[in-house]
Amino acid sequence: TLNGILNTHKIAAIDSNVCSNFHYLPPELLLEKDERVRQMKRVEWMTSQLLRVKKAEEERDAAQRRLVEVQKTEAVGHLAGGVAHDFNNILTAILGLSEFMLARKGLDTESRADVEEIKKAGERAAALTRQLLAFSRRQAIEPRVIDLNGIVRALEPFLRRLLRADIELRTVLGRGLGNVKADPGQIEQVIMNLVINARDAMPQGGTITVETDEIELNEDYAETHPGTKPGPHVMLAISDTGIGMDAATQSRIFEPFFTTKEKGSGTGLGLATVQGIISQSGGSILVHSKTGKGSSFRVCLPRADGPAEAAPPQAPEPESLRGAETALLVEEDTAVRTLIHRTLATNGYTVLAAMSSIEAIKFCERHKGAIHVLIANAVLPGTTGLDLARQAASLRPKLKFLFMSSGDDNGIPIRKARQGRLSIKKPFTPESLLRRLREVLIS
C-alpha cells in the first residue's frame, strides 16, 4: 500500500515537512508494459528530478547571497548617509572659514598657501561625501524625463579630454531611442565614472565604446535583479578592450571601498556610486568581463513615457550679494550657525539665530520688526523645514524661505522648494549662500 501511494503521489510528508516525492512516477511510466523500457525511463525521470532539485537549490543559494549583499549594502549605506550628514556640516564650516581667511587683507604668502590647501582638501572631502550619499542612495535627486542620447552627445567632448592619445572613444547611439526618467547630473556622473574606469583598465591603450539601445527585460531577469521591473528599458553600455577581470574580482567590484588600483589612486567608491545611482533611478547594472579580453558594463533604465523635459531656467544673477533684510536662521550645529550668522551680518543682514524650530516660532511671535526670510535645515530635530515654514507662514504671511539640505534627507521636505530654487546643498561657501539668498529675496 505504501509503495502504491509513493508511486502515485507527487508530494510526501516526512514528519511535519511536505516535500517533493522522489518515488513518484508519471502515469505514462506506470502504464509502460516493457520492464526494461520502464526502468530506463524511471532512471531518466529520477535524473531530471534530481537536476531540478539541484537547480532549485542553486537558485535558493543565489537568492540568499543576493539578500546578504543587499542587507550589507543597506547597512553600510545607512552608516555612510549618517556620516555624510555630519561631514557636510563640518565641511561647511571648514570651507566657509577658509574663504573668510583668504579674503582677509594682509595675509602673508605662506599662510595664504596653507589656507588654500585646507580649502582644496575640504573640496576633495566634499566630493567624497557626495559619493557616499550616491552610494547610500540617500542623495537628494532631481529626476526628469531626459534623452539619453542627448546626454552622451553633450558629454562626448569632455570625455575625450579625459582620455589619453592612445585611447579611441567610439559612440554607437541607437536610433529612435526612448527617454528615461533620471537626474541628468547623476547620469553624467555614471558615464564619467565608467569611462574613467575603462581608461584606467587600458594602460597600453585601446578602444572605449559607448553604446545606447532599447531592450526588453523579462520576468526572469527582474526576479534575479531586485528593484528591477520587467518591460521596455533603455540600455547604456560602456565597453573597453583592456585587461579585464577574473571572476573573483567581478564578484566584489560593487563593494564600497574595494579597488584594484594602487594605494592612493582611488577611493573604491566609483562603481559603488554608479550602482547606487542606477538603483535609485529604478534600473540595474550588469558586468561582463574576461581576463585579457576587456570589460563591458550594461546599465538598464526603465523607458519613460512623454517627451524629454527641458532643464529649468537659470535664475538671474543678483546685482549685489549684500542685503539689508532680516533673516531668521534655524541651525542646530553651532559651528555652521556661527558661520552663517557671520556671513550674513558682515553683508548687511540682521540675523535672528535659533537652535530649534520652537525657538524660531517664538521669534516669529515676539519679534517687533519684519522678518523677510527663514533659513532652515530641510530636516530638523523632531520636524522638517517645510513643517516649520508652514507654521512660520501662518504668523508671517510674507515670509520667504531658503532650505539647507545636508544631502541625506532624500529631498522629501524640499522637493517642491527645490523646483523653485529655494534650497542650497551643504557644504556651501559664504559666497554661494549669499547668492542663493539674494535669488530667494528678489524672486
Side-chain angles (χ1 to χ4, degrees):
T1 301
L2 179 59
N3 184 64
I5 292 172
L6 289 174
N7 282 337
T8 55
H9 287 72
K10 289 187 176 183
I11 60 173
I14 301 176
D15 291 332
S16 60
N17 298 317
V18 176
C19 58
S20 298
N21 175 18
F22 288 101
H23 296 277
Y24 165 76
L25 292 177
E28 60 270 20
L29 290 188
L30 291 173
L31 296 174
E32 176 61 54
K33 295 180 180 180
D34 189 318
E35 176 68 20
R36 182 172 171 275
V37 173
R38 187 165 63 248
Q39 290 300 326
M40 183 176 64
K41 288 185 176 180
R42 179 185 175 90
V43 171
E44 292 175 351
W45 167 256
M46 294 297 293
T47 302
S48 68
Q49 289 294 91
L50 288 169
L51 290 173
R52 181 180 63 81
V53 171
K54 185 175 184 296
K55 181 181 178 183
E57 289 176 345
E58 290 173 348
E59 290 175 351
R60 181 199 63 198
D61 292 343
Q64 184 66 28
R65 286 195 297 271
R66 287 195 299 271
L67 177 61
V68 170
E69 286 300 318
V70 168
Q71 291 173 334
K72 183 170 68 174
T73 299
E74 287 179 349
V76 176
H78 183 73
L79 174 63
V83 169
H85 169 84
D86 292 334
F87 269 20
N88 276 334
N89 279 332
I90 296 168
L91 291 170
T92 298
I94 291 173
L95 293 174
L97 292 172
S98 297
E99 280 207 1
F100 277 126
M101 288 289 292
L102 292 172
R104 187 174 296 172
K105 295 180 180 179
L107 192 67
D108 62 83
T109 304
E110 186 176 355
S111 296
R112 179 173 295 276
D114 290 341
V115 176
E116 285 176 347
E117 285 302 314
I118 291 171
K119 185 180 178 183
K120 288 177 184 178
E123 290 169 346
R124 289 197 299 272
L128 180 59
T129 304
R130 287 193 294 272
Q131 282 189 305
L132 282 170
L133 287 168
F135 155 69
S136 65
R137 308 170 199 178
R138 301 176 70 181
Q139 190 175 35
I141 61 174
E142 301 177 44
R144 67 172 191 264
V145 179
I146 57 173
D147 172 18
L148 191 57
N149 280 350
I151 296 288
V152 174
R153 290 191 191 100
L155 205 56
E156 188 173 352
F158 179 76
L159 295 177
R160 293 188 184 279
R161 290 196 293 270
L162 292 176
L163 304 180
R164 304 187 306 273
D166 58 354
I167 295 178
E168 177 190 1
L169 177 67
R170 296 177 61 244
T171 56
V172 183
L173 305 183
R175 293 184 178 181
L177 198 68
N179 296 321
V180 299
K181 188 168 187 178
D183 185 311
Q186 287 198 327
I187 297 303
E188 289 176 355
Q189 185 179 351
V190 166
I191 295 172
M192 285 192 292
N193 280 4
L194 292 177
V195 168
I196 289 171
N197 265 17
R199 176 199 67 188
D200 294 344
M202 297 189 296
Q204 306 302 322
T207 302
I208 297 175
T209 303
V210 180
E211 180 183 4
T212 60
D213 203 354
E214 285 200 3
I215 60 172
E216 186 83 16
L217 300 184
N218 57 28
E219 293 280 355
D220 291 340
Y221 183 94
E223 285 180 5
T224 55
H225 294 80
T228 303
K229 295 181 179 179
H233 281 65
V234 176
M235 180 199 71
L236 166 71
I238 296 180
S239 309
D240 64 68
T241 57
I243 57 177
M245 296 176 285
D246 57 26
T249 302
Q250 288 184 58
S251 68
R252 299 190 61 192
I253 55 173
F254 295 115
E255 288 183 14
F257 310 112
F258 173 77
T259 179
T260 57
K261 298 177 182 177
E262 295 180 2
K263 188 175 181 180
S265 300
T267 62
L269 277 173
L271 290 177
T273 299
V274 167
Q275 188 182 49
I277 290 172
I278 297 305
S279 297
Q280 198 173 15
S281 302
S284 61
I285 181 168
L286 284 177
V287 59
H288 177 75
S289 182
K290 288 185 177 180
T291 305
K293 300 291 185 179
S295 302
S296 177
F297 289 83
R298 188 175 72 166
V299 172
C300 299
L301 294 167
R303 193 175 66 193
D305 297 326
E309 301 173 33
Q314 293 292 325
E317 189 74 17
E319 294 181 4
S320 171
L321 298 183
R322 294 186 61 82
E325 294 88 349
T326 297
L328 174 54
L329 169 64
V330 190
E331 170 61 66
E332 68 272 20
D333 187 283
T334 303
V336 177
R337 186 174 63 253
T338 302
L339 172 71
I340 297 174
H341 190 297
R342 179 179 173 183
T343 299
L344 300 182
T346 55
N347 282 275
Y349 293 91
T350 299
V351 184
L352 307 174
M355 294 180 61
S356 66
S357 58
I358 295 173
E359 194 175 346
I361 293 300
K362 288 180 180 178
F363 272 120
C364 290
E365 292 172 339
R366 301 173 184 177
H367 183 68
K368 300 299 183 183
I371 301 178
H372 300 91
V373 62
L374 168 69
I375 305 173
N377 277 321
V379 176
L380 294 164
T383 185
T384 68
L386 197 58
D387 288 336
L388 173 60
R390 291 192 186 103
Q391 295 180 58
S394 66
L395 299 168
R396 304 270 179 163
K398 295 183 179 181
L399 191 65
K400 294 189 176 183
F401 310 101
L402 175 59
F403 297 106
M404 300 178 290
S405 169
S406 292
D408 65 331
D409 46 68
N410 284 325
I412 293 171
I414 58 170
R415 186 170 291 132
K416 292 182 180 178
R418 183 176 291 113
Q419 293 170 357
R421 300 189 174 278
L422 306 181
S423 68
I424 186 169
K425 294 179 183 179
K426 293 179 180 178
F428 49 74
T429 62
E431 182 182 346
S432 61
L433 172 64
L434 291 168
R435 179 171 285 104
R436 183 53 55 91
L437 181 57
R438 291 315 307 164
E439 291 173 3
V440 169
L441 286 168
I442 64 178
S443 61

